[in-house]
Structures are given as structure tokens and as C-alpha cells.
Amino acid sequence: MILKAVFRPQIRAWKGEAPLGSVLWGQGILPSLVLIVAYVDALYRHDPITQQAVLSAFQLYSAWALVAIWRCAANAQPPWDTIARLLTVAWAGNVLLVAGFLQVDLLTR
């Protein structure tokens, strides 16, 4: 039950019960920025193993965050519900393209 208490905000977000703003910024954008900085750091250190680990974590985390944001958008006021969902679609496309190209780059080295 300790894990349930620790991950209560993430569970609420996954169920679509959390406020959209806190999920979008606190559980979506800010953690993604931390992972991007970690990837850039590994890139500059020429550490492909860390790059692969961070890229995989970024892809998995992005998938979780996008679902949580989409679900929480259902409870947001117009026009924020629509804006959040449009941004979610754009974010998903961006993650697929950027992560895909970075993955190809890692595999060709």
C-alpha cells in the first residue's frame, strides 16, 4: 500500500481524475525536459548505452504521459480540453519522429 500512496498522483492522472494543468506541466512537460537534458548530456559524453537507456525511458514515459493528458483533458473546460488534445496529437507525432531518427542514428553507429 505504500507504493499506492507514493504513486497516487500518477494513478489519478492515468485514470483521468487529476487536473489537466498539473498533469500537462508537472507530469508531462517537465519530466520530459529532464529526460531530454539527460539524453543531450549522454550525447555530449559520447555514451551510447546511456543514450539508448534514456531514449527508451523517454519513449515509454511519453506514451504514459500522453494517455494521462488525453484522459485528463476530458474533464477540462473548453477550449482547454480541445487544445490539450491537439497538443497531445502533435506531441505524439513529434516523439515518434524525433525518437525514431535518434534510434536510427544510435543503430548506425
Side-chain angles (χ1 to χ4, degrees):
M1 292 304 143
I2 293 174
L3 283 177
K4 189 174 183 179
V6 169
F7 290 106
R8 186 178 318 275
Q10 289 78 14
I11 293 168
R12 288 189 67 229
W14 181 257
K15 292 179 178 180
E17 299 170 351
L20 177 61
S22 68
V23 175
L24 179 67
W25 289 100
Q27 297 184 38
I29 294 171
L30 293 177
S32 293
L33 287 175
V34 170
L35 289 168
I36 290 167
V37 169
Y39 183 87
V40 170
D41 177 61
L43 181 66
Y44 279 105
R45 290 185 293 108
H46 303 287
D47 184 354
I49 293 172
T50 303
Q51 284 176 276
Q52 183 62 62
V54 173
L55 185 58
S56 297
F58 176 72
Q59 291 169 319
L60 291 171
Y61 188 80
S62 291
W64 176 85
L66 291 171
V67 170
I69 292 166
W70 187 272
R71 290 177 177 175
C72 290
N75 299 323
Q77 296 294 318
W80 299 112
D81 57 344
T82 304
I83 291 170
R85 288 195 165 157
L86 290 173
L87 287 173
T88 301
V89 171
W91 185 351
N94 187 50
V95 167
L96 289 173
L97 289 172
V98 171
F101 284 119
L102 291 174
Q103 188 64 62
V104 169
D105 184 54
L106 276 172
L107 292 173
T108 57
R109 280 193 253 157

